[in-house]
Amino acid sequence: MSIDLAISIARSGLQATQRALANASQNITNAETPGYTRKTGAAESRTAAGMPLGVRLGDARREVDQALLNERDSRGGEAAAAKVREGLLSGIEALQGPAGAGQTLGDAIAALQASLTSLRGAPQEGGLQRVALNAAREVATRFQDLAAGVADARQQAHDGMLREVAEVNSGLREVAQLTIAIRGDRSRGLSTADLEDRRDLALSKLSQSLPVQPLHQPDGGLVLLARGGFALPLEPEGDAITAASADLGESSFHGTGGDIPPIMLGGADITRQLGGGRLGEYVALRDATLPRYQAELDLAAATLATRFEQQGLRLFTGTAGQMPDTSLPYNDPASRQMGFARQIRLADAVAGNLALLRDGTHAVADTPGGATGFTPNPPDGPAGFATLLDRVITHSLGETVRPGVTWPPIASGGIGPDGSLSSPFIPPRAITDYAATLTGVQAADRAAATAALERAEGLKAGMEARFQRESGVDPDAEMAALIRLQNAYAANARVLNTAQQMWEQLQSIGR
């Protein structure tokens, strides 16, 4: 081996070590940078015709388990969706009041029953009549507050969906721009490791809004598939997905005949193909969970008003004094049930004449399978008239419409603005029990969302920790590598210095 070759080999060792030192320094510097992965360079021995030519350190590359990365992002999408669900459902649960505090809808109806029972002991007592009237007013207020809360949460879900559509479009544009840069650098033989880190970070953020399955191409390109099976276009400009704002009402729904604008991709409605992530969860809350809550409150309010009405006391009405018809389907406009929970209030006649709580507001004809006949107490009737109070306490707030005949079941299917939803429970016959069940089911939904959030965040944290172990930066290991590289650099420097001394000696001999 010539001295020139020895110098060249030592110089290549110094250059390779310098690049390795740069990689290690870069790793340490970016140890806490979001999305950054450890970079390494493979050393390659160089030879020609059997003669050694030194060493070359390859371009910086990543050590990433793509399957693990995809699983981590999937768990991130689940956690983001659960957080959205828990947040909106917690707000509704808060309106109900803490369990056991006597503030739920079921508690309010139970308090009305207790006040009517007390009035039964002294039907002519004006103070007790006032207590019963206030209890009835509190029931109506609870219905109104809860229905308004559900309506507000549903509007929040739609508005949140619009924000997530904007986030998805922004994420797709960022991924597209990075993919173009990656393909360009790869075609020129340049390292794309840092660009790939940035693209993975963008995909992770995108997956929180809309879970995606990235299919990597050999040239650095990317195909993105959504969970619904459709491909997402990667264009550096413009919006791939569109959606429109809307003010939602009780009758609003998405679908044929509905007034909620669809989420569009390339001219196709993908609203019902979305699943997972914040976007999918907002859609599910807006189109399924919250409309069901609304329908169940409407049914409870309509049933309560109708059952008092059928026993001879028009205690509750809608804003225009109308009564709902619970014998018709929920979404039939003629039933006037949809939105009734926001309209329910004390009947004007009863609010202006407390004695009607004792005497009744109208006569009832005896109907087979329905209520027994009833005649109101006349103005000059007995002050201790208790027939009406017996009827409403036993039947309006009980399980039977008349002795031995149960009330028709409260609807559990065919509910919602489009009639496509169903309650996840068998409705109790008594309205007090039905209201308590609604509170319990909603609390259980929130608890399930909290449990799902904790589970998803735990899994995500586990995946993240594993990913960091395999692909992240370990500062201690990098510092140890720096020491080894310093020793290697010093060794190559000594070889180079020795070769240079030999070369100088040869030159001096020649002179």
Side-chain angles (χ1 to χ4, degrees):
M1 179 187 294
S2 68
I3 295 176
D4 284 341
L5 183 57
I7 292 174
S8 175
I9 291 174
R11 186 180 295 115
S12 74
L14 288 175
Q15 291 171 342
T17 305
Q18 286 175 333
R19 293 190 65 180
L21 284 167
N23 282 343
S25 298
Q26 181 76 349
N27 287 339
I28 293 172
T29 301
N30 288 280
E32 301 300 325
T33 301
Y36 184 84
T37 60
R38 183 177 66 259
K39 306 299 186 300
T40 59
E44 303 170 1
S45 177
R46 301 172 60 196
T47 61
M51 291 293 293
L53 297 179
V55 66
R56 177 184 179 277
L57 191 69
D59 290 333
R61 63 184 183 184
R62 311 185 310 157
E63 299 292 339
V64 172
D65 183 337
Q66 193 61 49
L68 177 60
L69 185 62
N70 293 345
E71 184 67 17
R72 183 201 65 178
D73 291 347
S74 176
R75 300 303 182 186
E78 291 175 5
K83 188 171 184 178
V84 164
R85 187 173 185 82
E86 184 199 39
L88 284 180
L89 297 188
S90 292
I92 294 173
E93 186 182 33
L95 288 174
Q96 292 278 12
Q103 300 176 9
T104 68
L105 178 61
D107 292 329
I109 297 176
L112 172 60
Q113 186 171 18
S115 68
L116 292 172
T117 301
S118 296
L119 180 59
R120 169 64 179 80
Q124 74 283 1
E125 177 59 48
L128 294 177
Q129 291 173 357
R130 176 63 62 185
V131 170
L133 185 74
N134 289 337
R137 181 179 285 112
E138 178 62 20
V139 169
T141 299
R142 295 298 297 156
F143 270 117
Q144 294 166 10
D145 291 346
L146 286 170
V150 170
D152 181 64
R154 194 176 182 213
Q155 185 65 53
Q156 288 182 51
H158 182 76
D159 296 343
M161 180 212 72
L162 294 177
R163 291 193 299 271
E164 292 309 314
V165 166
E167 286 289 332
V168 169
N169 284 324
S170 175
L172 290 174
R173 287 193 297 268
E174 183 179 5
V175 171
Q177 293 161 4
L178 289 168
T179 298
I180 291 172
I182 289 170
R183 294 181 66 184
D185 283 1
R186 189 167 293 184
S187 68
R188 291 187 289 271
L190 302 176
S191 172
T192 61
D194 286 332
L195 287 172
E196 289 180 74
D197 278 353
R198 291 171 55 193
R199 184 170 69 178
D200 283 346
L201 184 62
L203 286 171
S204 179
K205 182 180 178 182
L206 174 62
S207 292
Q208 294 183 23
S209 294
L210 178 64
V212 294
Q213 176 68 38
L215 303 178
H216 294 265
Q217 307 300 304
D219 65 349
L222 196 67
V223 174
L224 283 185
L225 296 179
R227 185 171 293 178
F230 54 89
L232 293 167
L234 290 177
E235 299 293 341
E237 303 292 338
D239 292 338
I241 300 176
T242 59
S245 61
D247 293 326
L248 306 190
E250 289 85 358
S251 61
S252 298
F253 68 94
H254 164 263
T256 304
D259 60 346
I260 297 181
I263 300 174
M264 303 292 289
L265 172 63
D269 182 355
I270 61 169
T271 308
R272 293 182 177 173
Q273 294 177 261
L274 298 172
R278 287 189 292 264
L279 178 56
E281 192 58 47
Y282 276 130
V283 170
L285 286 165
R286 183 198 69 181
D287 293 346
T289 304
L290 296 174
R292 194 196 88 219
Y293 283 9
Q294 171 196 309
E296 289 164 350
L297 284 170
D298 288 340
L299 288 167
T303 298
L304 182 66
T306 299
R307 289 184 179 181
F308 271 96
E309 170 81 7
Q310 291 181 8
Q311 296 298 331
L313 177 61
R314 180 168 290 189
L315 182 58
F316 301 105
T317 68
T319 52
Q322 78 276 18
M323 289 296 300
D325 185 350
T326 56
S327 66
L328 295 175
Y330 169 79
N331 63 334
D332 185 337
S335 77
R336 298 181 295 275
Q337 295 180 84
M338 195 179 301
F340 189 75
R342 292 192 74 175
Q343 299 182 36
I344 189 172
R345 62 205 59 227
L346 280 176
D348 292 339
V350 176
N353 184 2
L354 296 181
L356 293 178
L357 289 170
R358 174 196 65 190
D359 299 336
T361 56
H362 58 277
V364 176
D366 191 292
T367 305
T372 57
F374 168 74
T375 300
N377 188 33
D380 59 350
F385 183 77
T387 303
L388 175 72
L389 290 169
D390 286 336
R391 291 169 67 90
V392 297
I393 293 169
T394 303
H395 300 304
S396 297
L397 296 172
E399 297 185 351
T400 58
V401 63
R402 65 191 296 161
V405 180
T406 58
W407 286 104
I410 299 174
S412 61
I415 62 176
D418 61 350
S420 66
L421 304 177
S422 298
S423 297
F425 57 88
I426 298 175
R429 298 280 180 169
I431 189 62
T432 305
D433 294 337
Y434 183 81
T437 298
L438 294 188
T439 301
V441 168
Q442 291 173 11
D445 286 347
R446 194 279 310 155
T450 300
L453 175 59
E454 293 173 351
R455 181 172 60 254
E457 287 186 334
L459 291 171
K460 177 187 175 184
M463 292 292 175
E464 180 65 32
R466 181 180 169 190
F467 180 79
Q468 287 301 319
R469 287 195 301 271
E470 296 187 9
S471 302
V473 176
D474 181 349
D476 292 337
E478 296 298 327
M479 290 301 297
L482 280 177
I483 294 173
R484 292 195 300 271
L485 290 169
Q486 287 173 341
N487 291 336
Y489 190 90
N492 279 286
R494 286 195 297 271
V495 171
L496 183 60
N497 184 54
T498 299
Q500 286 176 334
Q501 290 176 356
M502 293 174 64
W503 177 255
E504 290 170 357
Q505 289 177 356
L506 285 174
Q507 285 183 321
S508 64
I509 293 172
R511 289 195 296 268

